[in-house]
Amino acid sequence: MSGIAAWHDYFITVAQISATLAGLLFVGVTISLNHMLMGSGYLYRAWAALFLQFEMLVVALFALIPGESAGVLGGEFVGAGLSVLAAIRIFGHYFPEGDHSKVLGSRGARIVRETLIHLATLLPAVSGVLLIAGAAQPLGCLVPAEIISIYLSLGLAWVFAVEIPSRLELEKYADHGFRQ
């Protein structure tokens, strides 16, 4: 079994997880869309999380193409990673995350999130370069990229589906003089 073929089950699992999390994110965004539009940066986070799952899905699907050469697969990984990072950055330019996000909007949280986004998008590109170069174990960078993508997507799905609506409800009660 070739090195890439040995990862077959991993790529099937990644494709399933990515498609599932993308669906969960759509549900969370749908539930909170009105609330998200009131705060700055939430649309950017939703876009980033969706595109991280899209990247992992595309990487997995590329790897499942039978008989593809390591060089072609490496080029696809590089293209996917750089394209997704560019899409996230462009969207972030037009819908920036500001200091007024009520949930995880502090400067420290934004720096951590941005660092993780860059790692999650660029590690598949690194795997692609390693594939093209014929390096040993070129796919190892995909595991931390997938873990980061899952971490960010699950966390953001929770923020969209639970935290944003519940905090806004608490503010509404506080504005009307109710206490918990």
Side-chain angles (χ1 to χ4, degrees):
M1 182 183 288
S2 74
I4 295 169
W7 286 68
H8 181 268
D9 291 348
Y10 172 80
F11 288 119
I12 287 175
T13 303
V14 166
Q16 292 170 340
I17 290 169
S18 297
T20 301
L21 284 176
L24 179 62
L25 286 162
F26 271 115
V27 169
V29 168
T30 302
I31 289 169
S32 295
L33 186 57
N34 288 336
H35 299 119
M36 289 172 62
L37 293 173
M38 289 186 238
S40 95
Y42 296 130
L43 286 178
Y44 167 71
R45 292 188 212 177
W47 177 264
L50 284 168
F51 257 65
L52 288 174
Q53 291 313 310
F54 174 73
E55 177 189 25
M56 291 296 106
L57 177 61
V58 167
V59 163
L61 293 176
F62 285 150
L64 291 169
I65 297 172
E68 195 164 55
S69 74
V72 170
L73 182 60
E76 291 168 342
F77 284 6
V78 170
L82 296 178
S83 296
V84 168
L85 180 60
I88 291 170
R89 298 295 345 126
I90 290 167
F91 194 88
H93 173 75
Y94 290 104
F95 297 94
E97 186 165 358
D99 295 327
H100 304 295
S101 298
K102 296 179 187 308
V103 181
L104 298 174
S106 70
R107 179 171 163 74
R110 288 194 317 271
I111 290 170
V112 168
R113 201 166 27 256
E114 285 303 310
T115 300
L116 292 175
I117 287 169
H118 280 78
L119 285 171
T121 54
L122 292 176
L123 285 172
V126 170
S127 281
V129 169
L130 293 173
L131 273 167
I132 293 167
Q137 303 297 322
L139 303 179
C141 294
L142 296 176
V143 175
E146 178 62 18
I147 291 168
I148 292 167
S149 294
I150 290 170
Y151 168 76
L152 287 173
S153 295
L154 284 175
L156 291 171
W158 174 264
V159 167
F160 301 146
V162 177
E163 287 296 321
I164 293 172
S166 66
R167 289 187 188 203
L168 289 171
E169 283 297 312
L170 288 174
E171 286 178 11
K172 184 170 70 174
Y173 286 121
D175 290 344
H176 291 99
F178 296 109
R179 297 189 191 265
Q180 276 188 303

